[in-house]
Amino acid sequence: MRSILPWIEDKLGQMGRRICASTVVDTSSLAILRCVAGVFLLVFSTPYFSWINHTPEGLFEPPILSIAYLFDGFPPSWLLSTWDITVPILAACVAVGYRTRAACILLTTGNFIAASFAYSYGKIDHDVMYKSVLICLAFTNSGTRFAVRPDTPVSDRLQNKAMALLGILIAFGMFTAGLEKAYVWIDFDPNTSGFFSWFYSGYYSLGRQYLLAPTVLSMPPQLFELADYGAVAFEISGFVFLLAGRRAWQFWLIIACVFHALNTYLLNIGFMEHSILYAIFLFPLLPKQFRENLLSRIETNLTSIALLSALCVTFACIHIWQRTTGTGSEYLFLTEAAPARLANLYASLVTWTVLTPAVIILWILNVKKAIKADSFDGN
Amino acid sequence: MLGSLCLGIPFVLRTVCPALEIYPSIVFPARATLVDVSDSDITYSQLELYGLKNGNEVRLDPISFLDPIPLQYLGVLFERDFGLDPEKPKQVYFKYLSIPNIQIDRSKITAEERAETEKWLQERLIEESCAADTLILRKRKSSIDRSSGEMTQTELLYEKYITLD
């Protein structure tokens, strides 16, 4: 027993080091992506909860194991309204880098508590990853550069651990979606389909009939048997790629982009928010010199900081105005449910259609470069 | 070790008993179900909401009827008749374990909450230009011919007339 414990500890240590090596992201990339994440939050996904108070208390039925279960009903409207006004301010703080760490922690904590009440109608939505990314960024140096008020730096070791945690959360999240599917979907029977169980319910019950969804109906369903196996293989394999090294991990994330692109086109399920998660690890595919130059240029140019700040403050003000006049929503300008759903779908379409080929090309260029460098070293 | 437990326990709970899903936790939707695609028909079930306009039934658009509640919550609201049927217990089922389903009494809504819910539903019906006193819930299983796209069969699985006083 005594000899097993150090062995386990040693193996866990090795795994931890491998994951850290796969997920390491430099500060300049994190600073740029923090800014992108903040602007993205302000435009497409600013959490909004006051709508809860426009629904009756009789619908309150929180999950047994949630924060909301500790309460008798929905929170008072003044509390949700106050939080809804605070959210765009905090998102703007993240984007411009004003007390980034505190803003990230506050935003994540507050959103988890408020979302517990939004999921008290009997169903939990699974947008937890996007809400978790800010808490991981809080423990990095993303707020120390290109920031209006730079944060105190943390050690590289802590930053690497935070990025490793984000990588683990992504791989584990996908694993939780894939394991049960593996048990049910891998049946080697072309007459049954897991893909179509998602497709039919979305197409006929939730009105997901846009983009390429109608063409799915005219295709032989047996063709999609391979889609079942492909989805399962992708979803359960994240940890293998995470442990296999940096290039393998980036390859798996590219597959994730392809997976989301196909889901958007065929199933009309966007998950656009995940593009930020993947971009954090895929941004370093751009040449280091380019990233450093880009950051140095915008960092030393006061106009760019002023412009970004003005833009974010304007977006935050628009949200606050919308929210105080009773027309708030998660999206900038959009207030009605139906156009917001469509806008989300088409924004996802643009995001995945642009991001996926871009990262594929960058990854191939990186691999070619590495092979060239290896052969040069060999000679 | 603690990290593994924080990630693993919610996942195991959700897998064996979806009613015990923890929020917040890192768990993604699995919906590991299969449909038969060998048939020439596509079979699916659908939830439908109806109001009455001049005595005739009118199918309501669930997105605008539920607004601001997201459409994906329709299923769970439908399951409990928008909270208006206090006698309908919650079904808790277990997967992969030989534990029988259990029924849990829902928390009773007070007369005040009931009145508030009815008023909310009435307002929704009026916005849809329907009579404020009746909401009809229907769950239907329908079949569509794969090649022609025409409906071949429809079966009513559940129907409820909710009278709003």
Side-chain angles (χ1 to χ4, degrees):
Chain A
M1 190 67 175
R2 269 186 190 173
S3 59
I4 288 177
L5 287 176
W7 182 83
I8 293 173
E9 206 170 303
D10 182 49
K11 289 291 166 199
L12 283 175
Q14 275 181 21
M15 281 168 69
R17 282 189 292 278
R18 271 170 170 264
I19 292 173
C20 278
S22 298
T23 55
V24 68
V25 182
D26 56 291
T27 301
S28 53
S29 299
L30 285 172
I32 294 169
L33 283 159
R34 179 218 79 223
C35 178
V36 173
V39 175
F40 183 91
L41 252 179
L42 281 169
V43 178
F44 294 112
S45 191
T46 318
Y48 174 65
F49 301 102
S50 288
W51 62 268
I52 294 170
N53 291 124
H54 300 293
T55 64
E57 288 282 336
L59 301 182
F60 183 73
E61 192 180 76
I64 300 163
L65 301 174
S66 75
I67 300 161
Y69 196 74
L70 302 172
F71 298 84
D72 291 332
F74 296 121
S77 61
W78 63 265
L79 191 59
L80 288 176
S81 303
T82 309
W83 178 245
D84 277 344
I85 291 167
T86 312
V87 168
I89 297 171
L90 291 174
C93 288
V94 172
V96 302
Y98 182 80
R99 294 183 183 270
T100 313
R101 193 161 294 137
C104 284
I105 293 171
L106 249 175
L107 204 50
T108 311
T109 316
N111 283 339
F112 275 137
I113 295 170
S116 285
F117 290 96
Y119 303 150
S120 291
Y121 296 85
K123 180 187 180 299
I124 296 173
D125 285 344
H126 297 93
D127 55 358
V128 66
M129 271 315 304
Y130 184 58
K131 290 193 170 80
S132 309
V133 68
L134 290 179
I135 202 83
C136 292
L137 281 183
F139 296 96
T140 67
N141 287 319
S142 65
T144 58
R145 294 190 64 183
F146 191 40
V148 170
R149 186 192 179 283
D151 279 338
T152 319
V154 296
S155 67
D156 284 349
R157 194 178 146 83
L158 182 61
Q159 171 161 302
N160 293 346
K161 278 188 175 177
M163 285 297 96
L165 176 66
L166 185 60
I168 290 170
L169 295 184
I170 294 173
F172 183 78
M174 285 293 186
F175 179 79
T176 63
L179 189 66
E180 214 180 333
K181 284 196 194 102
Y183 184 69
V184 181
W185 286 13
I186 308 288
D187 59 355
F188 302 104
D189 179 1
N191 293 324
T192 60
S193 172
F195 171 84
F196 275 95
S197 82
W198 278 81
F199 180 79
Y200 290 154
S201 60
Y203 192 86
Y204 291 111
S205 298
L206 298 174
R208 290 173 176 160
Q209 302 184 353
Y210 300 96
L211 307 175
L212 296 181
T215 61
V216 173
L217 287 173
S218 57
M219 292 163 86
Q222 285 77 8
L223 269 184
F224 289 89
E225 183 71 0
L226 282 177
D228 285 6
Y229 304 150
V232 168
F234 157 68
E235 287 183 336
I236 61 173
S237 62
F239 277 110
V240 176
F241 287 86
L242 191 55
L243 289 166
R246 188 174 175 70
R247 212 157 285 138
W249 171 238
Q250 287 174 331
F251 177 75
W252 186 80
L253 291 172
I254 289 170
I255 301 294
C257 294
V258 175
F259 176 76
H260 285 299
L262 289 173
N263 280 344
T264 306
Y265 279 100
L266 302 176
L267 295 171
N268 297 176
I269 300 174
F271 267 121
M272 173 178 51
E273 296 82 0
H274 281 208
S275 61
I276 295 290
L277 297 170
Y278 306 150
I280 287 177
F281 297 108
L282 294 173
F283 193 73
L285 284 172
L286 286 165
K288 194 175 178 193
Q289 194 65 32
F290 173 80
R291 282 179 276 137
E292 276 299 333
N293 284 349
L294 176 70
L295 188 63
S296 306
R297 260 189 209 172
I298 53 176
E299 213 170 23
T300 49
N301 185 351
L302 277 180
T303 321
S304 62
I305 296 181
L307 269 177
L308 175 72
S309 304
L311 188 74
C312 291
V313 169
T314 310
F315 286 170
C317 288
I318 293 169
H319 269 298
I320 292 169
W321 174 75
Q322 280 183 311
R323 288 164 186 221
T324 46
T325 52
T327 55
S329 104
E330 286 194 2
Y331 304 89
L332 202 63
F333 302 119
L334 291 173
T335 54
E336 300 283 324
R341 270 165 61 89
L342 263 189
N344 184 290
L345 178 64
Y346 282 98
S348 301
L349 173 77
V350 173
T351 305
W352 296 119
T353 308
V354 171
L355 184 69
T356 309
V359 290
I360 290 173
I361 293 167
L362 283 171
W363 188 82
I364 292 171
L365 289 175
N366 270 264
V367 171
K368 270 188 174 175
K369 202 173 152 189
I371 292 169
K372 225 179 201 176
D374 282 351
S375 63
F376 182 74
D377 285 350
N379 292 336
Chain B
M1 184 61 91
L2 186 67
S4 316
L5 291 176
C6 285
L7 291 177
I9 289 174
F11 172 50
V12 172
L13 280 176
R14 196 285 306 264
T15 305
V16 297
C17 180
L20 294 181
E21 181 169 349
I22 298 174
Y23 185 82
S25 64
I26 302 291
V27 178
F28 283 6
R31 194 166 345 126
T33 49
L34 288 167
V35 289
D36 188 352
V37 290
S38 62
D39 216 16
S40 59
D41 286 351
I42 297 165
T43 304
Y44 63 94
S45 61
Q46 197 168 19
L47 307 176
E48 298 168 349
L49 302 170
Y50 291 86
L52 294 177
K53 196 185 273 183
N54 304 325
N56 299 318
E57 285 185 10
V58 181
R59 188 157 170 201
L60 304 169
D61 171 21
I63 298 177
S64 61
F65 184 78
L66 286 182
D67 191 33
I69 298 174
L71 177 63
Q72 64 266 30
Y73 300 166
L74 174 63
V76 286
L77 295 174
F78 200 98
E79 204 177 275
R80 55 192 173 110
D81 297 341
F82 287 88
L84 294 175
D85 187 351
E87 304 307 320
K88 216 173 180 180
K90 184 176 179 156
Q91 298 284 341
V92 175
Y93 63 94
F94 295 87
K95 294 192 280 183
Y96 312 111
L97 298 174
S98 48
I99 299 175
N101 292 359
I102 51 174
Q103 294 188 340
I104 298 177
D105 286 339
R106 296 181 191 276
S107 51
K108 298 273 185 282
I109 67 168
T110 61
E112 197 185 326
E113 283 170 350
R114 189 183 173 85
E116 189 197 3
T117 308
E118 287 190 354
K119 188 170 171 252
W120 185 78
L121 289 170
Q122 284 175 332
E123 284 168 3
R124 315 265 91 197
L125 285 165
I126 291 166
E127 267 180 41
E128 300 289 325
S129 314
C130 289
D133 58 355
T134 310
L135 174 67
I136 306 161
L137 312 181
R138 286 199 184 109
K139 184 175 182 180
R140 224 184 269 281
K141 193 165 126 185
S142 304
S143 297
I144 286 182
D145 182 73
R146 198 181 296 280
S147 51
S148 68
E150 284 180 13
M151 193 168 286
T152 52
Q153 203 186 341
T154 178
E155 184 189 346
L156 190 63
L157 300 177
Y158 177 78
E159 184 176 55
K160 172 106 181 187
Y161 281 72
I162 298 178
T163 308
L164 305 163
D165 302 324

